[in-house]
Amino acid sequence: MFAAATQLVVLLVVLSSCRGRRDDFIDEGIEEIALQSSKFGSLWPLPQNVQISAVSFKLARDTFQIFDAKLSTAGPSCSLLQNAYRRYYEYFFGGVKKTWPLKDEWTDSAGLMGLQVLITDPEPGCEQYPSVTADESYQLFVDQPFAVLKAPKVWGALHGLETFSQLVYEDEFGAKNVNLTSISDFPRFAHRGILLDTSRHFLPVKVILANLETMAMNKFNVFHWHIVDDPSFPYLSRKFPQLSQKGAYHPYTHVYTPADVKMIIEFARLRGIRVIPEFDTPGHTQSWGKGQSDLLTPCFAGSKPSGSFGPVNPILNTTYDFMSQLFQEISIVFPDAYVHLGGDEVDFTCWKSNPDIQRFMEQQGFGQDYGKLESFYIQRLLDIVASTKKGYMIWQEVFDNGVKLKADTLIHVWKGTQQQYQNEMAKVTSSGYQTLLSTPWYLNRIAYGQDWQGHYKADPQDFQGTDEQKKLVIGGEACLWGEYVDATNLTPRLWPRASAVAERLWSAKTVTDISDAYNRLSVHRCRMVERGIPAEPLFSSYCPYEYKGI
């Protein structure tokens, strides 16, 4: 039983006798759990293999160092790691008002001199972007005189630094300590994402950056940027600046400039996070039509135009000329190998009312099946994106409608009840496509009580299928849609509820103990608060360092 590293939770113990009355509206399926110490301390997400001893070592701010091993393939010139060393050094010692004890007060058995980082791959990845095939594994050994962090690539080293920071705790005298520890770790799934919606409410860049930082604390590695939608078009295109000039809430204050986008992508890269943009069509495009004439379909009331517009007009050559130019730009601006093309929730009402589209349907032999018209559009769009050498992700409707897809297409499942999404996962994987899950992780849907437990219990491989089918599940995403979310409430609504998803996507499938998860997550939430993240509480408790606001 590991004792010393659990001292951080002493101040957080919930006195069950002081809980007060149970609210009538707590979900019946949600357990009430009293906070206790976990034998794994406050590690989150839980590593694949971890052994922690009661033997402890002290760390002193003035003498502790993070440095590159002599044989490391990523030396002082690796700015990604050097930036991470500075960032995590402050996390190790943040909030310390004094350096205690000083070096000359140590005995030989009391102190840890530093953390040595060894990257072993000849191409460590310092100047590269993370990818879906990136090696994120690492090993961490904490012993005297130096702890050793070993990883093939820099991406694993970033995760190892976060894990080491979670091992550091304060004793009763305020001194920083870490226990004798051995960890071998790697993610269960390669794609562990957060979707943020910047169309329904504009999110300032600093809010996005703060949440990228928090994603790194939870070992997420994909920022799915749902950047535009019906309400607004905040992406400032170099090729089509009129899209944001007329489609954004404000053409200057509520747009993401090329410099903003570049900064967000680089900030994410330095934390091992991919940025995958979503430009959803043919539906969800009302804001597009404000800056691009003839892009949307004119709706009709009887024989006359109604003055309203529907989805992208799929019968005009100008539509595809525009899409070709736009996605050529997107392929350059966003370096990730994938772009999300949406394809969900297309309302056929306007198409059905338009006489030109009716004639086109007849010419193509589509009859009255407007799903075939949608497929016609999607197929041409997929060909355009494929010509830019990008892979694509699409919402499940595109697959359900039978559109011809490339073998490396990633199908994003988001609809239905548990039984329905499990059936969908089985159907997609039996067709040989890779898939990821979001249905149980729509974090914009909130409930009184500890709804994180439901997120924690959902597993993307929990469906009827072969082992080969299960291997096609590359992960999942927690989604926070923006109808009722902006900069004022995004972060506390997202964290630590998204942390539950993070552990499900990183840790071993057998890590399912809700009580132990609650014990670790409660302290992990306090750690995020100490680092300046306004993560909401799980239940009655308090943190040694309360959130001070901005």
Side-chain angles (χ1 to χ4, degrees), residues 370-438:
Y370 284 84
K372 291 182 178 179
L373 180 61
E374 179 188 13
S375 296
F376 174 85
Y377 167 80
I378 292 289
Q379 186 60 64
R380 292 196 61 176
L381 181 66
L382 297 183
D383 291 342
I384 287 170
V385 174
S387 71
T388 69
K389 309 302 181 184
K390 291 283 190 183
Y392 43 75
M393 301 166 57
I394 45 90
W395 295 111
Q396 68 180 74
E397 286 97 320
V398 179
F399 167 81
D400 293 340
N401 291 340
V403 176
K404 183 180 178 182
L405 301 170
K406 291 194 305 179
D408 64 347
T409 300
L410 185 53
I411 313 296
H412 197 165
V413 174
W414 72 279
K415 297 176 68 175
T417 63
Q418 180 178 1
Q419 185 62 54
Q420 288 170 332
Y421 78 68
Q422 288 173 337
N423 291 340
E424 182 77 6
M425 297 288 282
K427 182 178 178 182
V428 171
T429 53
S430 67
S431 299
Y433 292 108
Q434 290 187 324
T435 185
L436 60 99
L437 179 65
S438 281

Side-chain angles (χ1 to χ4, degrees), residues 77-147:
S77 63
C78 183
S79 60
L80 181 147
L81 281 184
Q82 300 305 316
N83 286 332
Y85 296 166
R86 289 189 288 271
R87 187 166 67 250
Y88 276 98
Y89 184 85
E90 291 303 314
Y91 283 155
F92 298 163
F93 298 103
V96 177
K97 297 180 181 178
K98 59 183 179 180
T99 301
W100 176 268
L102 297 176
K103 182 179 179 182
D104 57 9
E105 295 174 317
W106 287 349
T107 63
D108 289 342
S109 61
L112 193 69
M113 299 299 295
L115 174 61
Q116 178 179 252
V117 180
L118 173 63
I119 307 299
T120 59
D121 195 289
E123 297 183 5
C126 293
E127 305 302 325
Q128 298 173 359
Y129 290 91
S131 70
V132 70
T133 59
D135 190 335
E136 299 177 273
S137 65
Y138 68 93
Q139 293 176 300
L140 178 61
F141 306 99
V142 181
D143 200 353
Q144 287 185 307
F146 300 105

Side-chain angles (χ1 to χ4, degrees), residues 227-239:
I227 193 168
V228 299
D229 207 296
D230 280 331
S232 72
F233 196 105
Y235 171 75
L236 201 168
S237 166
R238 290 185 184 273
K239 194 166 292 185

